[in-house]
Structure formats: C-alpha cells, structure tokens
C-alpha cells in the first residue's frame, strides 16, 4: 500500500496552493475561529429550539446531545481512517486523498487549512441535518447540536496541536496523541478529539 502522504516529508512551515482558480483557492482556506463560531452559534440555536418548541424533556434532550457528541467521535475516527487515509491506488483517489488530507500531512503547520472551509461546511452540515431529521425526527434538534459541538471540540484540539508547542495543561496528552499520528505512524491514532476509538479498534500507539 502506497500513500501519497508518505512520499513527501512534512514541512515545518509554509503553504502551497491547492487550486489555480483564485476564488476556489481562497475558499479552501479559513481562520479556525470562523467555523468554530458558526457551529457554536448554530448549536445554541438548535438547543434553544429543542427546549422551547418541542415536547422533549430536558433529560431526553441532554441524552441526545451527548449521544451526538459520542457519534461525532466515531465519525471523526471513521472518516479520518477510511476517507482521509484511503488507499491511493488510482490517480483519482490520490488526488482526492491529497486535496482532503495529504496536503495537511505535508504542511501540518498551515493554520488556514485546519478546518473544512465554511463554504463547504455549511453545505455538508445542512445535508447532514436533513438526513438526521429524516432518521430521528424532532430528536435531531438535540442530537445535531451535540454533533456540532463534538466537531468544534475536534477543530479546537487540532488547532492547538498544529499552532502551538506542547501546552503544559490538560491538552498535552491530546497534543502528543495527534503528533504520533503525524510524525510516527500515519496508520495509528486516527482519533484527534480523543483516543477512545483507537483503543477499541486497536490503532492506538503511545
Ligand atoms: Zn493534524
Ligand atoms: Zn491523518
């Protein structure tokens, strides 16, 4: 199995354009505070709607919210392992892998490429809510904000790992955990916000 990301050594600084089209190139970048703010505001609005306009009890809303966070951590693991690190046995797959994630492994310190750009994220998030609403009905009003808070947590941890030296606080172990993925083995530690699923699926590395 050959992966694009293993062909190029990670660079300590710098960046590289992904697209020739300047509008697409601009849209492929974002400051981390933009998506995090959008998701937290959206989550608050959904949570408010769940309490104010549905018949769900506070306990049930709370349960659904935490279920949303937990499911997010599993999705984070599965997407990182299955999509971002998919086998690149065809040129098309290699191109997709590089655009979505290979470039992050090549330029891990490029702070404008640490989150899905808002233009794409709004589209993906709307589609996700549509699917959740079809599956869960009004429960989606409490589950979806949990999912978004989980995603925001992931973005925050990922930003800290790549923007700062190892912090001397709670985040240190997560900092080390994700650095192992970048600098020791791309096939270990797919979880960024927590190593939970790496322990369960046997991809954890100390
Ligand atoms: Zn990373
Ligand atoms: Zn990765």
């Amino acid at each position: 199995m050959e992966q694009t990301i293993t062909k190029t050594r990670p660079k300590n600084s710098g960046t590289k354009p992904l697209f020739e089209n300047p509008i697409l190139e601009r849209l492929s970048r974002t400051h981390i505070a933009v998506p995090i703010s959008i998701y937290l505001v959206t989550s608050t609005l959904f949570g408010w709607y769940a309490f104010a306009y549905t018949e769900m009890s506070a306990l049930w809303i709370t349960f659904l919210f935490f279920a949303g966070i937990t499911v997010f951590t599993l999705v984070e693991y599965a997407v990182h392992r299955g999509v971002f690190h998919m086998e690149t046995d065809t040129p098309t797959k290699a191109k997709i892998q590089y655009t979505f994630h290979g470039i992050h492994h090549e330029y891990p310190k490029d702070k404008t490429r640490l989150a899905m750009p808002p233009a794409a994220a709004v589209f993906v998030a709307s589609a996700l809510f549509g699917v959740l609403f079809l599956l869960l009905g009004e429960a989606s009003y409490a589950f979806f904000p949990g999912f978004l808070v989980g995603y925001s947590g992931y973005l925050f941890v990922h930003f800290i790992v790549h923007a700062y030296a190892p912090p001397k606080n709670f985040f240190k172990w997560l900092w080390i955990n994700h650095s192992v993925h970048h600098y020791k083995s791309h096939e270990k530690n797919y979880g960024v916000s927590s190593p939970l699923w790496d322990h369960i699926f046997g991809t954890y590395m100390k």
Side-chain angles (χ1 to χ4, degrees), residues 15 79 135 149:
T15 183
V79 170
L135 290 173
V149 166

Side-chain angles (χ1 to χ4, degrees), residues 1-7 83-98 102:
M1 185 174 78
E2 196 176 2
Q3 290 191 330
T4 322
I5 50 173
T6 52
K7 285 184 204 153
V83 181
F84 291 173
H85 288 276
M86 65 179 151
E87 283 206 43
T88 51
D89 45 4
T90 66
T92 314
K93 280 187 180 174
K95 177 101 182 86
I96 294 172
Q97 194 279 336
Y98 185 79

Side-chain angles (χ1 to χ4, degrees), residues 80 101 104-105 108 114 158 161-162 178 181-182 192:
H80 191 183
H101 198 61
H104 169 57
H105 274 271
L114 292 178
H158 199 210
V161 171
H162 292 297
H178 189 57
H181 172 72
H182 274 276
V192 176

Side-chain angles (χ1 to χ4, degrees), residues 3-202:
Q3 290 191 330
T4 322
I5 50 173
T6 52
K7 285 184 204 153
T8 40
R9 282 166 56 79
K11 309 206 175 18
N12 232 339
S13 63
T15 183
K16 183 168 97 178
L18 260 181
F19 301 101
E20 280 177 27
N21 181 316
I23 298 171
L24 269 183
E25 175 59 19
R26 179 70 195 83
L27 286 175
S28 78
R29 295 169 181 278
T30 180
H31 187 286
I32 198 76
V34 176
I36 290 183
S37 310
I38 295 174
Y39 301 136
L40 293 183
V41 169
T42 309
S43 303
T44 308
L45 291 174
F46 271 89
W48 165 74
Y49 188 91
F51 277 106
Y53 292 100
T54 71
E55 300 289 306
M56 295 187 286
S57 70
L59 193 65
W60 182 229
I61 290 173
T62 309
F63 171 79
L64 288 166
F65 179 79
F66 283 102
I69 294 182
T70 309
V71 169
F72 167 77
T73 63
L74 179 58
V75 171
E76 175 200 319
Y77 179 89
V79 170
H80 191 183
R81 183 172 177 176
V83 181
F84 291 173
H85 288 276
M86 65 179 151
E87 283 206 43
T88 51
D89 45 4
T90 66
T92 314
K93 280 187 180 174
K95 177 101 182 86
I96 294 172
Q97 194 279 336
Y98 185 79
T99 305
F100 278 98
H101 198 61
I103 193 160
H104 169 57
H105 274 271
E106 195 180 351
Y107 296 93
K109 293 186 175 158
D110 182 352
K111 293 195 266 301
T112 64
R113 286 234 175 81
L114 292 178
M116 196 196 314
V122 168
F123 179 77
V124 172
S126 309
L128 175 67
F129 179 72
V131 172
L132 286 174
F133 190 77
L134 288 175
L135 290 173
L136 304 174
E138 73 172 5
S140 57
Y141 291 114
F143 182 92
F144 185 60
F147 194 91
L148 287 184
V149 166
Y151 184 56
S152 305
Y154 151 79
L155 287 178
F156 184 66
V157 169
H158 199 210
F159 180 75
I160 287 183
V161 171
H162 292 297
Y164 299 108
K168 290 187 182 58
N169 57 29
F170 170 78
F171 291 105
K172 190 177 176 189
W173 66 285
L174 288 174
W175 194 100
I176 294 169
N177 185 58
H178 189 57
S179 300
V180 166
H181 172 72
H182 274 276
Y183 302 106
K184 274 195 187 163
S185 172
H186 295 153
E187 276 139 37
K188 297 280 189 250
N189 297 11
Y190 293 106
V192 176
S193 59
S194 93
L196 172 69
W197 300 101
D198 286 296
H199 282 293
I200 292 172
F201 294 117

